[in-house]
Amino acid sequence: MICLGIEGTAHTAGIGIVDDEGHVLANAIDMIGGESGGIHPREAANHHVKVIPELISKAMAEAKVGYGDIGLVAFSQGPGLGPCLRTAATAARALALSIDVPIMGVNHCVAHLEIGRKVAGCEDPALLYASGGNTQVIAYAGGKYRVFGETLDIGIGNMLDKFGREAGLGFPSGPKIEQLAKQGKRLVDLPYSVKGMDVAFSGILTAALQLKKKGTPMEDLCFSIQETCFSMLVEVTERAMAHVEKGEVLLGGGVVQNKRLQEMVRIMAEERGAKMFVPPSKLCIDNGAMIAWTGLLMYDSGTRMEVDNTEINQRFRTDEVEVTWR
Ligand code: ATP
Ligand code: FE2
């Protein structure tokens, strides 16, 4: 069976086409642009309305499939921004009804983990999911995906982007901060905020902006932001791995494209005798292929949804998902 997956939780609209062996036949992505980076949910939704039809055509051409080949339509049901989620859901319902195939709503966070498990080749990892809007450590335990640690305020990517916006770096700022950090020499003091298994980033943002005003060089600031925030992430990931006794760590979300973060997680994993897995970039960021693949896992294990029961869920929690496929 072939599934077409529609992603649209935030900035990115994505259409992925995947077969039931997990081959990604197409993965078309379009992210709302703009130098400011501040996301306006309505504008992002309008962007998705505009690009989703084009992305469907593009993905189908790339996958060399026609409508008759698609056996399932999956979409990102949550968590995310209301207007964006509604747009993706509406597109999915319209497509599923018009080609008369079943529909499947998918949890976006679980999808990051499942595509990683499939393409990166790990079995039972702890996922460090670090993106713009989300920062969580997720692992499978007691029949569910559970969140072992998460941000208490903003996602790490949003923090990097907000700092970058104030500092005039443009959007997205994460890659620019990574480049500047390479020239940083001095580690300046920023509030390292780990509370139990959770992390917080807004204090670091405030402190970094104050230091910038006082003339601390950007290179040193970027270096220090990375070292501090990434150490926090590595600490809670390690604690979760120890707690649930996982020998694998998987990375997901746009921020994990950062090479310094990868290096720090790799060192932590090696020191514990564990292994790190990183999916290809286009499957780390928000994408439709992960939604399609997770939809297929759900369908194959007997989950069914009626169009009438495909309401979006802006606060769809990872542990609310009934994991029928493991
Ligand atoms: P989600 O809805 O899952 O929260 P998102 O829309 O924020 O996702 P992603 O595509 O997963 O999107 O990630 C985008 C974020 O990744 C941005 O905040 C961007 O600054 C950050 N980012 C991208 N590349 C890097 C990098 N090399 N280093 C650090 N951060 C990065
Ligand atoms: Fe995401």
Side-chain angles (χ1 to χ4, degrees), residues 7 9-12 31 108 112 129-134 156-158 160-161 171-175 178 226 230 253-259 284-286:
E7 159 62 31
T9 54
H11 294 90
T12 305
M31 187 175 168
H108 175 93
H112 273 291
Y129 170 31
S131 67
N134 293 290
I156 182 167
N158 282 355
L160 298 173
D161 294 333
F171 177 80
S173 301
E178 179 174 15
Q226 284 198 172
F230 296 171
V255 178
V256 308
Q257 297 172 98
N258 188 294
K259 291 286 182 287
C284 269
I285 60 174
D286 288 354

Short mmCIF file of all heavy atoms in Angstrom, two decimals, residues 7 9-12 31 108 112 129-134 156-158 160-161 171-175 178 226 230 253-259 284-286, ligand 1:
data_model
loop_
_atom_site.label_atom_id
_atom_site.label_comp_id
_atom_site.label_asym_id
_atom_site.label_seq_id
_atom_site.Cartn_x
_atom_site.Cartn_y
_atom_site.Cartn_z
N GLU A 7 1.89 17.13 5.99
CA GLU A 7 2.38 17.77 7.21
C GLU A 7 2.04 19.26 7.15
O GLU A 7 2.25 19.91 6.14
CB GLU A 7 3.90 17.58 7.31
CG GLU A 7 4.64 18.57 8.20
CD GLU A 7 4.25 18.56 9.67
OE1 GLU A 7 3.87 17.48 10.18
OE2 GLU A 7 4.30 19.63 10.30
N THR A 9 1.96 21.47 10.64
CA THR A 9 1.72 21.87 12.03
C THR A 9 2.15 23.32 12.29
O THR A 9 1.64 23.95 13.20
CB THR A 9 2.48 20.96 13.01
OG1 THR A 9 3.86 20.94 12.65
CG2 THR A 9 1.94 19.55 12.98
N ALA A 10 3.13 23.81 11.53
CA ALA A 10 3.66 25.15 11.80
C ALA A 10 4.16 25.81 10.51
O ALA A 10 3.38 26.01 9.59
CB ALA A 10 4.74 25.06 12.85
N HIS A 11 5.47 26.13 10.45
CA HIS A 11 6.04 26.83 9.29
C HIS A 11 5.95 26.06 7.98
O HIS A 11 5.92 26.63 6.91
CB HIS A 11 7.56 27.02 9.47
CG HIS A 11 7.94 27.92 10.58
ND1 HIS A 11 8.17 27.48 11.85
CD2 HIS A 11 8.15 29.26 10.59
CE1 HIS A 11 8.50 28.50 12.61
NE2 HIS A 11 8.51 29.59 11.87
N THR A 12 6.04 24.73 8.09
CA THR A 12 6.31 23.91 6.91
C THR A 12 5.07 23.18 6.42
O THR A 12 4.36 22.56 7.21
CB THR A 12 7.40 22.87 7.25
OG1 THR A 12 8.54 23.57 7.75
CG2 THR A 12 7.80 22.06 6.03
N MET A 31 8.61 25.74 3.05
CA MET A 31 8.54 26.43 4.33
C MET A 31 8.23 27.90 4.10
O MET A 31 8.80 28.51 3.19
CB MET A 31 9.91 26.29 5.00
CG MET A 31 9.98 26.81 6.40
SD MET A 31 11.61 26.43 7.05
CE MET A 31 11.59 27.42 8.53
N HIS A 108 2.36 14.35 15.38
CA HIS A 108 3.57 14.89 14.76
C HIS A 108 4.85 14.45 15.48
O HIS A 108 5.86 14.11 14.84
CB HIS A 108 3.42 16.42 14.76
CG HIS A 108 4.59 17.17 14.27
ND1 HIS A 108 4.73 17.57 12.97
CD2 HIS A 108 5.70 17.63 14.92
CE1 HIS A 108 5.86 18.23 12.83
NE2 HIS A 108 6.48 18.29 13.99
N HIS A 112 8.07 11.98 14.08
CA HIS A 112 9.52 12.25 14.05
C HIS A 112 10.28 11.01 14.51
O HIS A 112 11.32 10.65 13.97
CB HIS A 112 9.88 13.41 14.98
CG HIS A 112 9.78 14.76 14.36
ND1 HIS A 112 10.63 15.19 13.37
CD2 HIS A 112 8.93 15.79 14.58
CE1 HIS A 112 10.32 16.44 13.03
NE2 HIS A 112 9.27 16.83 13.75
N TYR A 129 14.17 15.38 20.47
CA TYR A 129 13.44 16.11 19.44
C TYR A 129 13.59 17.59 19.73
O TYR A 129 13.02 18.10 20.70
CB TYR A 129 11.98 15.64 19.47
CG TYR A 129 11.01 16.44 18.65
CD1 TYR A 129 11.41 17.07 17.47
CD2 TYR A 129 9.68 16.53 19.02
CE1 TYR A 129 10.51 17.79 16.72
CE2 TYR A 129 8.76 17.24 18.26
CZ TYR A 129 9.18 17.87 17.13
OH TYR A 129 8.29 18.59 16.38
N ALA A 130 14.41 18.25 18.93
CA ALA A 130 14.72 19.66 19.17
C ALA A 130 14.42 20.44 17.90
O ALA A 130 15.17 20.37 16.92
CB ALA A 130 16.19 19.81 19.56
N SER A 131 13.30 21.17 17.91
CA SER A 131 12.92 21.93 16.72
C SER A 131 12.61 23.35 17.12
O SER A 131 12.99 23.80 18.20
CB SER A 131 11.72 21.27 16.06
OG SER A 131 10.60 21.39 16.90
N GLY A 132 11.92 24.08 16.24
CA GLY A 132 11.57 25.46 16.56
C GLY A 132 10.61 25.51 17.73
O GLY A 132 10.90 26.10 18.78
N GLY A 133 9.48 24.84 17.57
CA GLY A 133 8.43 24.91 18.58
C GLY A 133 8.51 23.85 19.66
O GLY A 133 7.86 23.97 20.69
N ASN A 134 9.28 22.81 19.43
CA ASN A 134 9.28 21.69 20.37
C ASN A 134 10.67 21.35 20.89
O ASN A 134 11.65 21.44 20.14
CB ASN A 134 8.72 20.42 19.70
CG ASN A 134 7.24 20.55 19.38
OD1 ASN A 134 6.38 20.57 20.26
ND2 ASN A 134 6.93 20.67 18.10
N ILE A 156 13.79 25.22 21.74
CA ILE A 156 15.16 25.72 21.59
C ILE A 156 15.33 26.49 20.27
O ILE A 156 16.00 27.53 20.24
CB ILE A 156 16.21 24.59 21.71
CG1 ILE A 156 17.61 25.18 21.58
CG2 ILE A 156 15.98 23.46 20.72
CD1 ILE A 156 18.72 24.27 21.99
N GLY A 157 14.70 26.01 19.20
CA GLY A 157 14.82 26.71 17.91
C GLY A 157 14.21 28.10 17.97
O GLY A 157 14.77 29.06 17.43
N ASN A 158 13.07 28.22 18.64
CA ASN A 158 12.46 29.55 18.79
C ASN A 158 13.38 30.48 19.56
O ASN A 158 13.48 31.67 19.25
CB ASN A 158 11.13 29.46 19.55
CG ASN A 158 10.00 28.97 18.66
OD1 ASN A 158 10.20 28.78 17.47
ND2 ASN A 158 8.85 28.73 19.24
N LEU A 160 16.71 30.34 19.61
CA LEU A 160 17.79 30.72 18.69
C LEU A 160 17.29 31.77 17.69
O LEU A 160 17.97 32.75 17.39
CB LEU A 160 18.31 29.49 17.94
CG LEU A 160 18.94 28.38 18.81
CD1 LEU A 160 19.25 27.16 17.95
CD2 LEU A 160 20.21 28.88 19.51
N ASP A 161 16.07 31.55 17.18
CA ASP A 161 15.52 32.47 16.18
C ASP A 161 15.20 33.84 16.79
O ASP A 161 15.39 34.88 16.14
CB ASP A 161 14.27 31.88 15.53
CG ASP A 161 14.58 30.64 14.69
OD1 ASP A 161 15.72 30.54 14.19
OD2 ASP A 161 13.69 29.78 14.54
N PHE A 171 16.18 35.05 9.50
CA PHE A 171 15.53 33.78 9.84
C PHE A 171 15.80 32.73 8.77
O PHE A 171 15.78 33.07 7.59
CB PHE A 171 14.02 34.03 9.97
CG PHE A 171 13.24 32.78 10.24
CD1 PHE A 171 13.18 32.26 11.52
CD2 PHE A 171 12.58 32.12 9.21
CE1 PHE A 171 12.47 31.10 11.78
CE2 PHE A 171 11.87 30.96 9.46
CZ PHE A 171 11.81 30.45 10.75
N PRO A 172 16.03 31.47 9.08
CA PRO A 172 16.21 30.95 10.45
C PRO A 172 17.61 31.24 10.96
O PRO A 172 18.58 31.20 10.20
CB PRO A 172 15.98 29.44 10.27
CG PRO A 172 16.36 29.17 8.85
CD PRO A 172 16.08 30.41 8.07
N SER A 173 17.72 31.49 12.23
CA SER A 173 18.99 31.93 12.80
C SER A 173 19.89 30.78 13.23
O SER A 173 21.10 30.97 13.38
CB SER A 173 18.74 32.83 14.01
OG SER A 173 17.99 33.95 13.63
N GLY A 174 19.29 29.61 13.46
CA GLY A 174 20.09 28.47 13.95
C GLY A 174 21.37 28.24 13.16
O GLY A 174 22.46 28.17 13.74
N PRO A 175 21.27 28.12 11.82
CA PRO A 175 22.50 27.85 11.04
C PRO A 175 23.51 28.99 11.11
O PRO A 175 24.73 28.74 11.08
CB PRO A 175 21.98 27.72 9.60
CG PRO A 175 20.52 27.42 9.73
CD PRO A 175 20.07 28.06 11.01
N GLU A 178 25.28 28.79 14.38
CA GLU A 178 26.26 27.68 14.31
C GLU A 178 27.57 28.15 13.68
O GLU A 178 28.66 27.83 14.15
CB GLU A 178 25.68 26.50 13.52
CG GLU A 178 26.67 25.35 13.40
CD GLU A 178 26.09 24.09 12.74
OE1 GLU A 178 25.01 24.16 12.12
OE2 GLU A 178 26.73 23.04 12.86
N GLN A 226 25.24 28.07 22.38
CA GLN A 226 25.25 26.67 21.95
C GLN A 226 25.75 25.74 23.05
O GLN A 226 25.13 24.73 23.35
CB GLN A 226 26.12 26.50 20.70
CG GLN A 226 25.48 26.99 19.45
CD GLN A 226 26.14 26.45 18.18
OE1 GLN A 226 25.64 26.65 17.09
NE2 GLN A 226 27.25 25.75 18.30
N PHE A 230 23.03 23.23 24.55
CA PHE A 230 23.24 21.84 24.11
C PHE A 230 23.64 20.96 25.30
O PHE A 230 23.26 19.79 25.37
CB PHE A 230 24.27 21.78 22.98
CG PHE A 230 23.84 22.47 21.70
CD1 PHE A 230 24.74 22.66 20.65
CD2 PHE A 230 22.53 22.92 21.53
CE1 PHE A 230 24.35 23.30 19.47
CE2 PHE A 230 22.13 23.56 20.35
CZ PHE A 230 23.05 23.75 19.32
N GLY A 253 14.07 16.82 14.52
CA GLY A 253 13.81 18.26 14.62
C GLY A 253 14.90 19.06 13.94
O GLY A 253 16.03 18.60 13.81
N GLY A 254 14.55 20.26 13.50
CA GLY A 254 15.47 21.07 12.70
C GLY A 254 16.78 21.40 13.39
O GLY A 254 17.83 21.48 12.74
N VAL A 255 16.76 21.58 14.71
CA VAL A 255 17.96 22.02 15.43
C VAL A 255 19.04 20.93 15.44
O VAL A 255 20.24 21.23 15.53
CB VAL A 255 17.60 22.47 16.86
CG1 VAL A 255 18.82 22.88 17.66
CG2 VAL A 255 16.60 23.63 16.81
N VAL A 256 18.64 19.67 15.30
CA VAL A 256 19.64 18.60 15.37
C VAL A 256 20.52 18.53 14.12
O VAL A 256 21.45 17.73 14.06
CB VAL A 256 19.02 17.21 15.65
CG1 VAL A 256 18.12 17.27 16.88
CG2 VAL A 256 18.30 16.66 14.45
N GLN A 257 20.24 19.40 13.15
CA GLN A 257 21.16 19.48 12.02
C GLN A 257 22.48 20.12 12.46
O GLN A 257 23.47 20.08 11.73
CB GLN A 257 20.53 20.31 10.90
CG GLN A 257 19.28 19.67 10.34
CD GLN A 257 18.57 20.58 9.37
OE1 GLN A 257 18.74 20.45 8.17
NE2 GLN A 257 17.80 21.51 9.89
N ASN A 258 22.47 20.75 13.63
CA ASN A 258 23.65 21.42 14.16
C ASN A 258 24.75 20.41 14.49
O ASN A 258 24.56 19.49 15.28
CB ASN A 258 23.25 22.21 15.42
CG ASN A 258 24.37 23.09 15.92
OD1 ASN A 258 25.39 22.60 16.37
ND2 ASN A 258 24.17 24.38 15.83
N LYS A 259 25.92 20.60 13.86
CA LYS A 259 27.01 19.62 13.99
C LYS A 259 27.59 19.58 15.40
O LYS A 259 28.03 18.53 15.87
CB LYS A 259 28.12 19.94 12.98
CG LYS A 259 27.70 19.69 11.53
CD LYS A 259 27.65 18.19 11.23
CE LYS A 259 27.30 17.88 9.78
NZ LYS A 259 25.89 18.13 9.44
N CYS A 284 14.63 14.96 9.14
CA CYS A 284 14.74 15.50 10.50
C CYS A 284 13.80 16.67 10.70
O CYS A 284 13.16 16.81 11.72
CB CYS A 284 16.16 16.03 10.76
SG CYS A 284 17.27 14.81 11.45
N ILE A 285 13.74 17.54 9.68
CA ILE A 285 12.85 18.70 9.76
C ILE A 285 11.41 18.22 9.54
O ILE A 285 11.17 17.05 9.24
CB ILE A 285 13.24 19.78 8.72
CG1 ILE A 285 13.14 19.22 7.30
CG2 ILE A 285 14.64 20.29 8.99
CD1 ILE A 285 13.36 20.26 6.21
N ASP A 286 10.47 19.13 9.71
CA ASP A 286 9.07 18.76 9.50
C ASP A 286 8.88 18.32 8.05
O ASP A 286 9.34 19.01 7.13
CB ASP A 286 8.16 19.96 9.81
CG ASP A 286 8.10 20.23 11.31
OD1 ASP A 286 8.65 19.43 12.08
OD2 ASP A 286 7.49 21.24 11.68
P1 ATP B 1 8.11 22.04 14.91
O1 ATP B 1 6.71 22.30 14.44
O2 ATP B 1 8.44 20.60 14.92
O3 ATP B 1 8.44 22.71 16.19
P2 ATP B 1 9.54 23.90 13.17
O4 ATP B 1 8.55 24.44 12.23
O5 ATP B 1 10.07 24.81 14.16
O6 ATP B 1 9.05 22.57 13.79
P3 ATP B 1 11.93 22.50 12.06
O7 ATP B 1 12.03 22.49 10.59
O8 ATP B 1 11.93 21.20 12.74
O9 ATP B 1 10.70 23.37 12.27
O10 ATP B 1 13.14 23.35 12.69
C1 ATP B 1 13.38 24.70 12.42
C2 ATP B 1 14.31 25.23 13.48
O11 ATP B 1 15.60 24.62 13.34
C3 ATP B 1 14.54 26.73 13.40
O12 ATP B 1 14.34 27.26 14.68
C4 ATP B 1 16.00 26.86 12.96
O13 ATP B 1 16.65 28.01 13.46
C5 ATP B 1 16.60 25.59 13.54
N1 ATP B 1 17.83 25.17 12.85
C6 ATP B 1 17.99 24.83 11.56
N2 ATP B 1 19.29 24.53 11.29
C7 ATP B 1 19.97 24.69 12.46
C8 ATP B 1 21.34 24.54 12.85
N3 ATP B 1 22.28 24.21 11.98
N4 ATP B 1 21.65 24.80 14.14
C9 ATP B 1 20.70 25.14 15.04
N5 ATP B 1 19.41 25.30 14.73
C10 ATP B 1 19.04 25.08 13.47
#
